[in-house]
Amino acid sequence: MFDDKKVIFSGMQATGSITLGNYLGALKNWVKLNEEYTCLYSVVDLHSITVRQDPAELRKRSRALLMQYIAAGLDPEKNIIYYQSHVSGHAELGWILNCYTYMGELNRMTQFKDKAAKHTDNINAGLYTYPALMAADILLYQTDVVPVGSDQKQHLEITRDIALRFNNIYGDVFTIPEPYIGKEGARIMSLQEPEKKMSKSDENANASIYLLDDPELIKKKFKRAVTDSDNAIAYSVDKPGIKNLIDIYCSFTGESTDSAVAIFEGKGYGNLKAIVGDTVAEGLRPIQEKFKELSQNSDYIDSIIKANAEKANYMAQKTLRKVKKKIGLPQ
Ligand code: TYM
């Protein structure tokens, strides 16, 4: 397991069900990359509490998210799938990196600005220093590659800046990670407001497709997708609704945008929505079946959670020991 393969780390917050955006922007690529690398995929539950959570719900969603990783095709014997809070090294390195992160840098983070605007009654310090904990997630494992959607690019840049700053002071401590942002699916948009990204927290139930949505519901949501009024199929930024549907179709089928446009040309929007809806419903069906199967195997999931936390912890401690020594904490 801890051979000389390069390392991948990525994670998702356990807030709400996982969307088609999370799947196409991240999880699908994780599955694609999982053979060639040593992979750690975390349910980043410590990040989730930067927004107020119902405790029972958080516990339930964290477990469901971990099971969706497996259901989507990640083999938990080969990939380290675990809860961030089960490896205390994340919080420890997170604190240390807070001391190497500037407020000026944090002030620029768009995710902080968006979330602060949404949760005006709870703009807490954790929400603000979120990127330092995210940097810790990544740097803790000497990660080479971080597969994410394009909205996380800024967080990856600050991670690299923190790592370079640290290395400049103390020598080669951290591997400098590279983002991996897929060509298709890097930014899936809302089905109702296609100029906005699809988000777990959208209040409009028709705006997002969830991985565990019933196939009929998926088709219905696509039928209701907002497009535009000219009925001509083209892949263009001026037609965000159509562009989004074509992106989703291409992500599932592997078709290029040009050939997708050729397939749909002259067929009308109704047809496009129906075909994309069918493609997604069918594409997600095996994941949903696997999820059901896993739901009946609680002991197996428990054993995965335990064994993988141990593996992650082992790797984390190696980096943490090095960091503590370098900065002068007593041994
Ligand atoms: P989160 O939980 O918001 O999203 C998880 C992953 O899904 C991607 N994503 C999207 N991709 C395409 N289209 C969309 N509409 C869309 N919405 C979300 C995100 O880019 C992400 O890859 N800060 C992270 C979680 C995190 C993390 C990490 C990620 C914590 N530590 C370390 C990587 C490495 C977040 O909030 O993702």
Side-chain angles (χ1 to χ4, degrees):
M1 172 121 270
F2 309 123
D3 44 28
D4 46 16
K5 279 187 188 170
K6 289 197 165 186
V7 177
I8 282 191
F9 178 93
S10 201
M12 277 188 203
Q13 294 197 63
T15 35
S17 311
I18 149 169
T19 68
L20 198 59
N22 300 136
Y23 177 62
L24 297 178
L27 186 50
K28 196 160 178 282
N29 290 329
W30 300 358
V31 176
K32 202 164 83 185
L33 296 167
N34 90 107
E35 292 290 332
E36 302 154 53
Y37 295 82
T38 295
C39 299
L40 296 111
Y41 295 117
S42 186
V43 170
V44 292
D45 47 3
L46 294 175
H47 277 108
S48 302
I49 60 166
T50 54
V51 170
R52 202 67 76 229
Q53 302 287 341
D54 174 77
E57 270 296 302
L58 177 61
R59 205 165 292 126
K60 206 169 102 194
R61 283 175 177 167
S62 299
R63 191 172 172 99
L65 180 57
L66 188 133
M67 284 160 55
Q68 286 171 76
Y69 287 1
I70 303 171
L74 292 174
D75 179 348
E77 313 280 339
K78 292 192 189 145
N79 299 271
I80 305 176
I81 294 172
Y82 72 103
Y83 296 131
Q84 182 189 32
S85 63
H86 281 191
V87 179
S88 60
H90 287 260
E92 279 186 77
L93 185 61
W95 171 255
I96 293 171
L97 295 184
N98 261 322
C99 304
Y100 296 84
T101 307
Y102 297 129
M103 287 176 69
E105 289 174 310
L106 295 173
N107 287 337
R108 287 198 294 272
M109 295 294 117
T110 55
Q111 185 167 308
F112 171 70
K113 288 185 205 161
D114 292 349
K115 288 209 174 162
K118 228 187 228 170
H119 303 278
T120 46
D121 56 335
N122 182 22
I123 306 177
N124 61 70
L127 193 62
Y128 185 60
T129 61
Y130 180 115
L133 179 60
M134 179 157 162
D137 298 341
I138 296 167
L139 302 178
L140 196 52
Y141 300 100
Q142 306 295 349
T143 301
D144 297 282
V145 182
V146 186
V148 283
S150 61
D151 62 336
Q152 294 301 314
K153 216 170 140 201
Q154 197 182 32
H155 284 159
L156 258 294
E157 279 160 13
I158 192 175
T159 299
R160 289 168 57 91
D161 290 343
I162 296 168
L164 286 168
R165 181 171 308 137
F166 198 95
N167 284 359
N168 275 337
I169 308 172
Y170 302 106
D172 254 353
V173 178
F174 295 125
T175 302
I176 309 299
E178 295 286 340
Y180 175 99
I181 297 172
K183 234 171 88 213
E184 289 114 21
R187 192 169 172 83
I188 298 298
M189 310 310 276
S190 153
L191 294 187
Q192 289 299 312
E193 293 168 83
E195 37 311 292
K196 240 178 64 182
K197 81 167 183 181
M198 186 181 284
S199 158
K200 284 177 229 173
S201 52
D202 205 310
E203 273 152 24
N204 184 342
N206 287 320
S208 308
I209 301 287
Y210 296 104
L211 213 66
L212 301 177
D213 274 349
D214 181 79
E216 288 314 310
L217 181 61
I218 293 176
K219 293 179 197 173
K220 213 184 275 168
K221 286 185 186 176
F222 274 105
K223 275 194 191 128
R224 291 186 186 144
V226 169
T227 48
D228 53 58
S229 52
D230 82 4
N231 220 23
I233 288 174
Y235 188 80
S236 147
V237 281
D238 306 330
K239 293 169 139 310
I242 299 300
K243 179 175 178 294
N244 193 36
L245 292 175
I246 293 175
D247 278 337
I248 293 171
Y249 180 78
C250 291
S251 295
F252 271 91
T253 58
E255 209 74 64
S256 70
T257 45
D258 285 351
S259 66
V261 170
I263 292 169
F264 292 117
E265 212 153 33
K267 289 220 170 97
Y269 288 176
N271 228 314
L272 171 70
K273 291 185 201 177
I275 293 175
V276 179
D278 285 350
T279 306
V280 173
E282 285 318 307
L284 295 182
R285 199 186 286 275
I287 299 178
Q288 298 178 345
E289 280 165 7
K290 177 84 185 172
F291 183 84
K292 260 191 218 139
E293 205 183 299
L294 290 168
S295 310
Q296 279 145 20
N297 207 342
S298 196
D299 290 349
Y300 169 69
I301 300 296
D302 288 342
S303 70
I304 291 300
I305 289 172
K306 190 162 177 290
N308 280 326
E310 279 166 16
K311 287 182 198 163
N313 204 38
Y314 175 85
M315 289 176 76
Q317 284 305 325
K318 267 188 17 191
T319 301
L320 207 51
R321 271 198 300 273
K322 194 162 154 191
V323 168
K324 286 179 174 172
K325 192 171 166 198
K326 289 281 185 186
I327 61 179
L329 298 181
Q331 305 256 271

